[in-house]
Amino acid sequence: MKVLVVGNGGREHAIAKKLLESTRIKQVFCVPGNGGTATTEGCQNLPLNIDDFQGMERFVMVNNISLVIVGPELPLSLGIVDYFQQKKLMAFGPTQAGAQIESSKSWAKELMLEAGIPTPKAAVFTNPEAAKAYVVEQGTPIVIKADGLASGKGVTVATTVKMALSAINTIFRGAFGTDNIRVVVEEYVTGQEVSILALTDGITVEPLLPAQDHKAIGEGDKGANTGGMGAYAPAPIITPELMERIQTEILEPTLVALQKRQIDYRGVLYAGLMITAEGEPQVLEFNCRFGDPETQAVLSLLETPLEDLLLACCQQRLGEFSSNIRWKEGASVCVVLASGGYPGSYQKGKTITGIEEAEAKGVEVFHAGTQLKQQQLVSDGGRVLGVTAVGETLQQAIAKAYEAVDCIEFEGVYCRRDIGRRALVDKN
């Protein structure tokens, strides 16, 4: 079968490469793809935009594509799955109605409260002065969130009132969009963040391995939020007992709440959790797609053919895999190499070297912000590469990943050197 993957990040490169491990997959096309998908055997990039639904439809029809897999949240929020469903074509991902769980934090918060899902207290504002007054009343630390899509950069953990007010001003100035601006002001909770990527066919919901993302730009989780500087899986803080609670107290009630709203949600239900010091899971946010860079770590450990799971979601057959998704032993870690200056301003077009040497160390290098220009690989984004290693233990995976990281060079390259350390510290 032939598959079309929508997106151009590390997540999409990881999905494409995982699909190509299967003898069932003949070819993967990527819209628009990146330098990695351009150079991966069995992959081909298409010069289309992720919101060109008609262009993708024509290609799917002419080339007999069996399945469209949507990576990023933006086309999901614009209704790409609805469009393909109307054309009787199979696409993996929730409809526009379901994608609201990510495209509107206030909508998601309302859904959680309605379903009785544990989540920090929050208030939603359409007026900046009212939001500021609430912050002054509540005090800090406090969390300020842009309501809509913000590529992982719309959340500020404000430790001072001044910082909170500045974040509110930034949102209302239109930094994350100018339509229907809302801000969510949320209670600050402490603990360990964990990503639970679950698959659902609208009836059954099956969690994949728990992963832990590292959102802050700086080591020790300091500095501005990014789209993610690295991840590892499985996250040991999620015990089998805690995963069972997450299944029964969070994932299943969320699916029921979506059903009550007449939303047939098929795709990824990604719960961003905080595990408090008392071991209680609280939902910080929901996303409607695979996480990035969590996907790179999680899929590296997946043994069940990915296309089997995604087709089962589309065809409402996920129950066939109930508690029977197969995984490799060991652990996986993904270290993101970013452009200097990210998540602020950064330069593109920097020549990248050393990927072959890195992969000779036994890792996979997933491309994110890269482009192939005149057969030369150059940087083309903030997060450039994701060096991903699997080991018998997390310590081995970390050591292997950083040994490979040191082979890769481009001007201004930056990475965190503490990806996965939280698990090792807590273990000791």
Side-chain angles (χ1 to χ4, degrees):
M1 62 186 283
K2 291 185 281 188
V3 178
L4 178 71
V5 175
V6 180
N8 66 343
R11 163 185 52 217
E12 287 75 35
H13 193 200
I15 289 170
K17 290 191 79 172
K18 178 54 69 171
L19 289 168
L20 287 166
E21 289 178 9
S22 170
T23 55
R24 189 178 178 188
I25 302 299
K26 183 179 176 183
Q27 191 166 16
V28 176
F29 298 93
C30 298
V31 174
N34 57 38
T37 53
T39 52
T40 295
E41 187 178 353
C43 266
Q44 182 181 328
N45 290 349
L46 302 178
L48 297 171
N49 295 325
I50 60 173
D51 59 356
D52 184 359
F53 300 169
Q54 284 189 328
M56 284 185 266
E57 178 208 348
R58 284 194 294 270
F59 186 86
V60 166
M61 295 291 286
V62 169
N63 293 277
N64 195 28
I65 304 295
S66 303
L67 176 64
V68 176
I69 301 168
V70 187
E73 60 274 18
L74 180 60
L76 291 169
S77 72
L78 294 174
I80 187 171
V81 172
D82 309 67
Y83 182 89
F84 278 107
Q85 285 180 351
Q86 287 164 10
K87 306 294 181 180
K88 309 298 183 188
L89 299 170
M90 195 179 300
F92 174 82
T95 59
Q96 187 175 34
Q100 289 179 95
I101 206 161
E102 178 167 2
S103 64
S104 174
K105 289 181 172 61
S106 58
W107 189 91
K109 185 67 76 169
E110 185 182 300
L111 183 86
M112 286 186 260
L113 294 174
E114 179 186 300
I117 291 162
T119 185
K121 181 182 78 171
V124 181
F125 298 93
T126 56
N127 178 282
E129 299 312 315
K132 292 174 186 178
Y134 181 79
V135 164
V136 171
E137 178 190 328
Q138 295 295 313
T140 55
I142 201 163
V143 182
I144 312 298
K145 297 181 175 181
D147 183 60
L149 299 179
S151 302
K153 300 167 195 166
V155 178
T156 299
V157 179
T159 52
T160 66
V161 170
K162 183 180 178 182
M163 192 176 175
L165 301 187
S166 174
I168 291 167
N169 284 334
T170 298
I171 293 167
F172 278 100
R173 275 200 300 266
F176 306 106
T178 55
D179 293 336
N180 195 26
I181 297 176
R182 287 190 176 99
V183 65
V184 179
V185 182
E186 191 172 83
E187 172 192 10
Y188 174 72
V189 292
T190 59
Q192 280 203 54
E193 288 192 48
V194 177
S195 301
I196 303 294
L197 312 182
L199 299 177
T200 180
D201 61 0
I203 300 168
T204 301
V205 60
E206 284 289 324
L208 304 179
L209 290 180
Q212 188 168 76
D213 184 17
H214 298 64
K215 291 186 175 66
I217 186 67
E219 291 171 12
D221 297 324
K222 307 293 185 189
N225 266 353
T226 71
M229 290 301 296
Y232 66 92
I237 191 172
I238 304 296
T239 62
E241 295 77 20
L242 187 51
M243 183 61 93
E244 181 60 30
R245 285 189 60 195
I246 291 166
Q247 176 78 9
T248 58
E249 296 175 20
I250 294 170
L251 298 178
E252 290 175 358
T254 301
L255 194 55
V256 169
L258 290 164
Q259 291 166 348
K260 284 182 179 176
R261 294 190 178 202
Q262 306 300 307
I263 294 173
D264 181 7
Y265 192 106
R266 307 184 198 186
V268 177
L269 183 62
Y270 163 172
L273 306 179
M274 181 70 81
I275 310 301
T276 68
E278 296 74 34
E280 296 296 315
Q282 295 225 4
V283 180
L284 300 181
E285 65 179 7
F286 277 115
N287 295 318
C288 63
R289 38 71 195 180
F290 283 114
D292 187 340
E294 297 98 327
T295 297
Q296 292 88 306
V298 171
L299 291 189
S300 294
L301 295 170
L302 180 67
E303 279 199 337
T304 299
L306 178 60
E307 74 275 10
D308 288 355
L309 296 173
L310 304 191
L311 286 169
C313 289
C314 294
Q315 298 167 346
Q316 292 199 308
R317 299 184 290 103
L318 192 59
E320 296 174 11
F321 293 92
S322 184
S323 304
N324 197 32
I325 299 174
R326 301 190 310 278
W327 299 97
K328 298 173 186 173
E329 295 291 329
S332 176
V333 63
C334 173
V335 179
V336 170
L337 302 187
S339 297
Y342 175 78
S345 60
Y346 53 85
Q347 295 182 331
K348 298 181 180 181
K350 303 301 181 183
T351 301
I352 302 167
T353 60
I355 290 178
E356 285 186 12
E357 292 89 334
E359 290 184 328
K361 305 285 186 184
V363 306
E364 286 198 274
V365 179
F366 296 118
H367 294 233
T370 69
Q371 193 177 25
L372 200 61
K373 280 192 174 180
Q374 298 175 338
Q375 299 308 304
Q376 177 64 59
L377 199 66
V378 298
S379 64
D380 192 47
R383 293 186 298 164
V384 179
L385 300 167
V387 178
T388 307
V390 173
E392 290 182 14
T393 65
L394 181 58
Q395 292 97 319
Q396 287 181 8
I398 290 170
K400 194 171 170 183
Y402 280 109
E403 185 183 3
V405 160
D406 290 336
C407 297
I408 299 172
E409 293 182 5
F410 57 91
E411 186 184 329
V413 60
Y414 168 77
C415 73
R416 280 183 57 169
R417 290 277 169 179
D418 63 346
I419 304 301
R421 304 294 181 195
R422 183 85 178 256
L424 302 184
V425 169
D426 289 353
K427 195 172 182 181
N428 294 335

